[in-house]
Amino acid sequence: MSWRDNLPTVRGKLLLNEPLGPYTWFRVGGAADALFIPADADDLADFLKALPESVPVTIIGVGSNLIVRDGGVEGVVIRLAGRAFAAITTEGETITVGAGALDSMVAKASAKAGIAGLEFYAGIPGTIGGALTMNAGCYGAETKDVLVSAWGLTRQGERIELTLADFGYTYRHSNAPADIIWMEATYRGAPDAPEAVAARIHEITSRRETTQPIREKTGGSTFKNPEGHSSWKLVDEAGWRGKLRAETGGGAKFSELHANFMINPGEATAADIEALGEAVRADVLAKTGVQLDWEIKRIGRKA
């Protein structure tokens, strides 16, 4: 008998062999052995406590910085969606948000409350759970600059709380245990006039709309910026901006608008997209001696 024949009873949605492409911005990838969309934190905790330890668990948000490989994902994929995971409350200079809240919505809520410091989230196309995991940031600001604490669930369904110091943040990296499923985060900003915060958010969103292919099937920033370098410049100077390389990318390409954004302009597969990224990494290394590291998370089995 397979573990899928004896899954825990849940209040949320539990779907077997669910294709994951529609849940990602690239719109590619195979199916999850099981996809669980919990009703709330208690539903998720109960599920994890009852799920055999041998079953792998993978967390996804809105799939904005993610490649799901064509062979699908082993075990259970958990997606936090709905109001239970997206609540936002403010008190003074503090804002507390669910891990499923969109970064952009957190920025807007901070403006409404007159809290400065979280404007940069308006430029990040993901959720707070992902932001916590990778110290997300842009335009000179990062999650670590404003985070106070967060809590989540372990693989065993137990609650765990971490303060900022516990994360050990560095550039796009956290030392927090990788298996924590974040539920909620608390931030502290600085008081400012709501209209001033809103104006800075407008500037960020306008800049993003004119410099990034946000209406394409993309995965956001492909590579982290190596120390002393900009990834987009390295990709551009290596000659990959906007070039469709069927022999290595199978229809995927790096955007003409932003050379660190890969896009799926048609019917590329996950393998096509990942192969293009690896080809560019190898070419940039050969030409410049600089190693590009993936910022996009890649999960699952190759077909």
Side-chain angles (χ1 to χ4, degrees), residues 20 33 51 106 115 134 145 165 257 267:
L20 293 175
D33 288 349
L51 187 70
V106 174
I115 300 172
M134 65 177 295
D145 299 332
L257 188 61
E267 300 300 323

Side-chain angles (χ1 to χ4, degrees), residues 116-137:
L118 287 85
E119 295 92 332
F120 70 96
Y121 272 144
I124 302 175
T127 60
I128 291 300
L132 292 171
T133 299
M134 65 177 295
N135 187 25

